[in-house]
Amino acid sequence: MQLLSIAITLVVVVLVSAMILKKYKPHAILLGGGIVLLLSAQFLGINNIITDVEKSTGFWLFDVFELMRTTLQKDAGATGMVIMAAGAYAMFMNHVGASDVMVKICTKPLKHLGSPYIVLALTYTVGQLLNIFVPSAAGLSVLLMATVYPVLIALGVSHLSAAAVIASAACLDLGPASGASNMAAEMAGLEPMTYFKYQVPIMAVVIPLVTVTHYLVQKYFDKKDGFVANKNDASAQEDDTTAAGVPKFYALLPLFPLVLLLLFNELVITSIKMNVVTAMMMGVCLTIILEVIRKPKHAFDSVKIIDVFFGGMGKQFANIIT
């Protein structure tokens, strides 16, 4: 029975992988593979689809869909909400022109470093330090996607390299706010802050090494793949018509939620707690107020741009969360 269960699992994994590589819709393929594994576990007597009898519908087939509901409800309301809000905020910033202004201002001095891969590598260092204050890996990644990613692309690195360095930004789980660090501290019988002090000498070695490795690896693979910076990407920010009419201080708006999260946490201002989603909503409201002040004759239209944010959340749900 055990061999049969392993065989079924391997077959499902191979088929799912092959179909995804052939560009079939991942949502449907993963859902189908999950259902096959659930039903196999049920009929082979390995495990019930819903182990808690009180939460079961009473019929194994209905339990498959009940499990989908509870999983989606739990994940969409936690990490999913962070991803939806952060992704939607990035779209919102792009709509009001704040992202264009930020990229235009940031790329000019950064180009003087001589290589975009230096900025790429330093992004890891900055991201890993930010992780101390923003312990959510998903939240930090999407925040960096909204702020740093477009700058990296504009400087001339590949989309894959930019995404790779951002995806690794929270790999060390640093700081007393990290769930993994707290669990490790508890197992070691230490206070979270005491445990963090033991993390510091490790991070002092690991962060510089990974930073240098990112520079070498991403540059190597971009060259191996024959990547050439898209002239439209690398020079778009030189166009003076970009974000025409948008005030330069709007460049701070994409960073506003990040500033809030850096200020209000367990290491700085401990009396106030700040959630990623809360910070995003505050940023949206601040932007709408600024738009109303900037365009008093079109105040009604300025308020309506909140639809862009909520519409963006829907797109994140459809494309990523599911």
Side-chain angles (χ1 to χ4, degrees):
M1 189 68 70
Q2 186 176 4
L3 290 176
L4 179 59
S5 66
I6 293 173
I8 292 173
T9 302
L10 289 175
V11 169
V12 170
V13 170
V14 171
L15 288 175
V16 165
S17 302
M19 295 178 79
I20 289 177
L21 288 173
K22 289 183 177 180
K23 308 299 182 182
Y24 285 91
K25 188 70 173 179
H27 303 62
I29 302 306
L30 291 170
L31 181 62
I35 290 175
V36 170
L37 291 175
L38 285 172
L39 294 178
S40 299
Q42 175 78 27
F43 289 118
L44 292 175
I46 297 172
N47 204 356
N48 292 327
I49 293 170
I50 295 181
T51 55
D52 190 338
V53 179
E54 294 182 359
K55 295 181 180 179
S56 173
T57 64
F59 181 36
W60 56 267
L61 183 58
F62 293 172
D63 278 353
V64 172
F65 299 95
E66 176 64 13
L67 182 61
M68 289 183 200
R69 180 194 68 81
T70 56
T71 302
L72 187 60
Q73 182 175 309
K74 175 172 64 70
D75 290 348
T79 305
M81 184 59 70
V82 173
I83 295 173
M84 283 189 284
Y89 191 73
M91 296 174 67
F92 185 75
M93 289 294 101
N94 187 59
H95 179 78
V96 299
S99 295
D100 285 342
V101 175
M102 180 194 70
V103 172
K104 187 175 181 180
I105 291 174
C106 290
T107 51
K108 286 184 178 180
L110 291 176
K111 283 181 178 179
H112 293 300
L113 290 176
S115 171
Y117 293 94
I118 295 177
V119 183
L120 178 82
L122 291 175
T123 296
Y124 170 77
T125 301
V126 173
Q128 197 66 80
L129 295 175
L130 287 175
N131 184 226
I132 299 173
F133 304 93
V134 186
S136 167
L140 177 62
S141 296
V142 184
L143 281 170
L144 292 175
M145 287 296 290
T147 53
V148 179
Y149 180 82
V151 174
L152 293 175
I153 301 305
L155 288 172
V157 302
S158 72
H159 293 266
L160 284 173
S161 290
V165 74
I166 288 173
S168 66
C171 68
L172 295 185
D173 277 321
L174 297 172
S178 165
S181 293
N182 272 271
M183 182 179 292
E186 184 179 347
M187 293 178 67
L190 300 171
E191 290 295 320
M193 278 304 297
T194 304
Y195 182 77
F196 178 54
K197 291 178 182 178
Y198 285 100
Q199 286 184 310
V200 171
I202 305 298
M203 62 182 271
V205 175
V206 174
I207 290 178
L209 286 176
V210 177
T211 298
V212 173
T213 303
H214 263 303
Y215 175 87
L216 298 173
V217 170
Q218 307 308 336
K219 188 175 183 179
Y220 168 78
F221 277 107
D222 276 358
K223 185 177 181 180
K224 183 180 179 182
D225 293 341
F227 169 76
V228 177
N230 187 321
K231 291 182 180 180
N232 292 328
D233 283 339
S235 62
Q237 308 310 321
E238 297 296 332
D239 185 0
D240 289 336
T241 62
T242 301
V246 179
K248 288 186 178 180
F249 73 85
Y250 265 43
L252 299 174
L253 291 177
L255 304 174
F256 179 72
L258 190 57
V259 172
L260 291 178
L261 292 165
L262 289 175
L263 287 176
F264 305 113
N265 56 69
E266 295 184 15
L267 294 176
V268 186
I269 301 176
T270 58
S271 59
I272 299 176
K273 296 180 180 179
M274 181 59 61
N275 181 274
V276 174
V277 179
T278 306
M280 295 293 173
M281 294 298 296
M282 292 175 67
V284 169
C285 290
L286 174 62
T287 303
I288 291 175
I289 291 171
L290 291 173
E291 284 289 279
V292 170
I293 294 172
R294 193 164 71 92
K295 305 172 184 176
K297 293 182 179 180
H298 303 282
F300 182 73
D301 291 333
S302 296
V303 172
K304 283 176 63 178
I305 62 172
I306 197 170
D307 290 344
V308 174
F309 178 75
F310 290 119
M313 290 186 71
K315 288 181 179 179
Q316 298 299 314
F317 180 84
N319 296 326
I320 299 175
I321 306 305
T322 52

